[in-house]
Amino acid sequence: LGDDEMMNLAQDSSNSTHNYRDIVATLLARMPEALARILTLYYIDDMSQGDIARREGISLSAVKTKMYRGRAEFRKVGQPFGNYLEGLI
């Protein structure tokens, strides 16, 4: 989705859950893959940080660092949408 399409989705409250899923998927696709994968595993697949560490073969502290960086990157790529995405991650 382009920025204009995403803004229209964010503003359309008729089907907000579906709209947010589309927006989140698009924002994750704009992020570095490793960070997007960690956020997806945690927020969408509902995996614990320990499970993510085991699955990815990295330390728990590395997962926490990637989550911190991933949330910052998500906010950065979502910045043009301002309040529409506030509190999402």
Side-chain angles (χ1 to χ4, degrees), residues 9 12-24 88:
L9 278 175
D12 178 12
S13 62
S14 64
N15 192 358
S16 61
T17 301
H18 177 71
N19 293 344
Y20 278 119
R21 286 182 185 158
D22 289 345
I23 292 168
V24 168
L88 202 55

Side-chain angles (χ1 to χ4, degrees), residues 4 7 10 22 24 33 37 39 43 46 54 58 65 87 89:
D4 290 338
M7 187 62 78
D22 289 345
V24 168
E33 194 272 331
R37 184 175 59 249
L39 292 182
Y43 288 105
D46 202 28
R54 283 186 287 281
I58 59 178
T65 298
I89 288 188

